[in-house]
Amino acid sequence: MPCTTILVGKNASYDGSTMIARNDDSGSGHFTPKKFIAMDPAKQPKVYTSELSHVKIQLPEDPMRYTAVPNALKGEGIWAACGVNEAHVAMTATETITSNPRVLGADPLVVYQEKTEDTEEIVGGIGEEDIVYIVLPYIRSAREGVKRLGSLLEQYGTYEMNGIAFQDLDEIWWLETIGGHHWIARRVPDDAYVVMPNQLGIDYFDIEDGLGQQKDFMCSADLAEFIEKNHLDLSLDGDFNPRDAFGSHDDSDHVYNTPRAWYMERYLNPNSAKWDGPDADFTPFSDDIPWCVVPEKKVTVEDVKYVLSAHFQGTPYDPYAAYGDKSLAGAYRSIGINRNDFLSVVQMRPYATEDQCVIQWIAFASNAFNVLVPFYADVTETPAYMSNTTKEVSTDNFYWNSRMIAAMADASYGKSIFHIERYQEKMAAKGHELIGRYDALIEKEQDAAKRRQLRHEANQAIADMLQKETADTLDKVLYELSNQMKNAYSRSDA
């Protein structure tokens, strides 16, 4: 699935939190309705079977409860996407990334092959459908998540190239698959953030550390031999660059991927480099945009939402630009597009008590027009307004309401954007307000059951507030769009 990721180290965030965030986008030609739920460990099977690749995996005993943002419809697997478990470890899966023919020839992807009259069925490897479901319920640290997924990749392989984030209160790790069975992972520096469009991103890797102490790097056990045997190291100075060795270098990257990284870093580090003009340090088609950067100021949740909603505002590439040279408008693939299905930001707050420290922010549909709202993640269920997404379009759930608001606001952009901005600002402010209010109530309560009840009460209060404001915004943008109907008519004396 196309998507965009940003990871924020604890010393780079505004409040000392680690933050991981990811968009998930539908494939072309359809929407993939999503929901926000808490997964019951009692329903976790002993043996997992992938619907797409048919691989069977024996799972450990004693899975933990976790939140997830899975597909709302059955038929293509779970696609749990992003969540937090009872041990307060989070992960996202996955950022679809790219590779090159040398890697894929040396270690082919493990692709499912159907049974025919002449051949037996060949099961495939694991993929985005499976990864959260078979990893997150069983890990108690971000490092442990890297090691578990790495062992699964080495044993079962994968049928696609993917990037996966792991998070706990102290660390964030980013893992990238290399061909069918190999992988690398790097710890996000505490004082930096990472941006990831749909391409292999890590631009420096210490193989000695990855195979030894594993302080900041981890990798598959035979990575050094794999690189040497297949002549994958392209460096001239001895500094191994995984992006050069394992990544893609296609012209399409300069339309689809690198412009997104360029814009995110341009926004968060406007003065650290020259981003525009003929003598720019980095442009939308630069292949050397850094994987991780120390920000010019601490990064907030609102910053994360802004860059993951971006459509190149303030540049000639904005498809909504109402001024300037419009010949470049829409030249590059925006981050906030019509096919965004969800955005999740996991914020792990070191100053909050253990059972209230993790907040999972959720948004549905096009990020250019949606709102991001916070929920306590240490819960056994989520509000119905967030979890009851249906196949049919309905005003009873947040997903389809967000879809309708986006479509109507886009079609009446000039008149509706004012309503959208007010909606976004109000929901963000009310979200912080309600979490702050319930943080104080929970801290005063000593009984674990009553603390849990307060977390559920807070989540329901946020969902109720959201449902009311979403309905109100839908009414406003519907009115603005209806005024553009061909039979629209108003009388000043009416």
Side-chain angles (χ1 to χ4, degrees):
M1 288 289 180
C3 44
T4 309
T5 293
I6 181 170
L7 316 171
V8 184
K10 61 186 180 182
N11 296 336
S13 74
Y14 75 107
D15 66 344
S17 296
T18 54
M19 291 192 287
I20 63 174
R22 169 181 173 250
N23 292 344
D24 183 28
D25 306 336
S26 295
S28 298
H30 66 92
F31 289 135
T32 306
K34 305 292 283 189
K35 58 185 178 180
F36 175 50
I37 63 172
M39 303 285 273
D40 183 354
K43 297 180 180 178
Q44 190 84 348
K46 301 296 184 184
V47 178
Y48 173 78
T49 303
S50 170
E51 291 197 28
L52 295 185
S53 70
H54 295 202
V55 65
K56 294 182 184 294
I57 299 174
Q58 184 75 37
L59 296 177
E61 299 290 337
D62 300 322
M64 288 180 279
R65 183 189 70 248
Y66 63 101
T67 60
V69 193
N71 289 358
L73 310 182
K74 295 182 179 180
E76 292 190 354
I78 298 167
W79 302 78
C82 180
V84 186
N85 70 21
E86 289 181 63
H88 305 135
V89 179
M91 67 180 292
T92 69
T94 66
E95 179 83 26
T96 304
I97 60 176
T98 50
S99 189
N100 63 65
R102 297 180 304 283
V103 170
L104 298 178
D107 184 10
L109 298 174
V110 184
V111 180
Y112 172 73
Q113 298 178 43
E114 292 185 23
K115 181 178 181 180
T116 69
E117 292 182 359
D118 302 317
T119 62
E120 293 297 317
E121 177 189 61
I122 300 178
V123 300
I126 60 176
E128 182 170 351
E129 169 203 350
D130 320 298
I131 287 175
V132 169
Y133 197 75
I134 62 177
V135 174
L136 185 56
Y138 310 102
I139 58 175
R140 294 189 174 275
S141 71
R143 285 175 178 265
E144 191 175 320
V146 172
K147 292 179 179 179
R148 172 162 174 77
L149 178 55
S151 67
L152 290 168
L153 289 167
E154 292 173 24
Q155 181 176 358
Y156 297 100
T158 181
Y159 56 82
E160 58 188 356
M161 293 286 296
N162 282 314
I164 298 95
F166 295 92
Q167 171 195 25
D168 55 39
L169 273 166
D170 191 49
E171 293 187 325
I172 301 172
W173 283 81
W174 177 253
L175 182 150
E176 295 181 327
T177 63
I178 310 299
H181 299 84
H182 293 82
W183 57 274
I184 58 175
R186 182 177 173 184
R187 190 178 72 84
V188 175
D190 293 338
D191 63 349
Y193 68 90
V194 166
V195 298
M196 281 294 306
N198 294 116
Q199 60 185 155
L200 192 138
I202 297 176
D203 55 7
Y204 173 76
F205 193 84
D206 185 337
I207 296 179
E208 183 177 349
D209 182 50
L211 294 171
Q213 187 178 0
Q214 298 184 339
K215 179 176 181 291
D216 295 304
F217 301 88
M218 287 188 268
C219 61
S220 44
D222 65 340
L223 185 69
E225 293 88 345
F226 176 69
I227 293 169
E228 182 177 5
K229 177 182 178 181
N230 296 286
H231 315 288
L232 296 175
D233 186 355
L234 304 183
S235 66
L236 293 173
D237 59 5
D239 288 335
F240 178 67
N241 186 331
R243 191 183 296 178
D244 291 340
F246 306 136
S248 62
H249 307 281
D250 300 330
D251 291 341
S252 60
D253 283 330
H254 299 152
V255 173
Y256 197 77
N257 294 319
T258 54
R260 285 183 272 162
W262 170 82
Y263 187 83
M264 287 191 282
E265 293 189 11
R266 179 183 183 271
Y267 176 79
L268 293 170
N269 284 76
N271 303 304
S272 302
K274 190 166 185 178
W275 302 97
D276 303 287
D279 57 345
D281 298 308
F282 301 105
T283 72
F285 46 86
S286 294
D287 289 321
D288 59 346
I289 297 171
W291 178 74
C292 65
V293 182
V294 176
E296 293 180 13
K297 62 178 181 63
K298 292 187 176 183
V299 179
T300 67
V301 174
E302 288 71 39
D303 290 327
V304 171
K305 172 65 167 74
Y306 186 86
V307 296
L308 290 182
S309 304
H311 45 85
F312 299 102
Q313 299 95 309
T315 77
Y317 316 117
D318 184 357
Y320 296 103
Y323 53 85
D325 180 6
K326 296 185 180 181
S327 64
L328 295 175
Y332 301 125
R333 190 268 201 195
S334 295
I335 302 171
I337 60 171
N338 64 315
R339 293 186 287 105
N340 296 141
D341 272 326
F342 83 89
L343 164 59
S344 176
V345 183
V346 179
Q347 179 186 14
M348 295 197 175
R349 308 176 300 163
Y351 49 85
T353 54
E354 184 178 10
D355 59 353
Q356 67 188 103
C357 68
V358 185
I359 302 295
Q360 187 164 2
W361 298 74
I362 296 290
F364 288 141
S366 176
N367 290 336
F369 303 101
N370 66 12
V371 293
L372 186 67
V373 286
F375 295 95
Y376 288 108
D378 195 346
V379 292
T380 57
E381 62 180 358
T382 59
Y385 189 59
M386 307 298 296
S387 63
N388 69 351
T389 305
T390 53
K391 178 180 179 181
E392 298 77 19
V393 177
S394 169
T395 56
D396 293 332
N397 60 71
F398 186 43
Y399 180 87
W400 284 117
N401 271 322
S402 299
R403 276 261 170 256
M404 289 185 284
I405 286 172
M408 293 176 189
D410 179 271
S412 57
Y413 188 84
K415 296 290 187 181
S416 291
I417 192 61
F418 169 79
H419 299 303
I420 296 300
E421 289 175 350
R422 286 293 182 91
Y423 173 48
Q424 291 172 334
E425 291 172 1
K426 185 174 184 178
M427 291 301 93
K430 291 294 291 184
H432 282 293
E433 178 188 340
L434 285 167
I435 290 295
R437 183 190 308 169
Y438 276 92
D439 273 351
L441 292 172
I442 293 169
E443 287 171 5
K444 293 177 182 178
E445 182 56 65
Q446 299 300 313
D447 182 75
K450 291 180 179 178
R451 291 170 67 90
R452 182 167 55 251
Q453 182 181 348
L454 282 169
R455 294 195 299 275
H456 283 91
E457 182 182 309
N459 286 358
Q460 188 61 55
I462 291 167
D464 290 344
M465 174 269 296
L466 178 65
Q467 186 167 8
K468 178 181 180 300
E469 296 299 332
T470 300
D472 183 57
T473 302
L474 180 61
D475 177 69
K476 290 174 180 175
V477 297
L478 176 60
Y479 177 79
E480 300 294 0
L481 181 59
S482 70
N483 279 338
Q484 296 183 189
M485 295 171 63
K486 291 183 174 60
N487 64 352
Y489 180 74
S490 63
R491 290 180 56 187
S492 59
D493 59 345

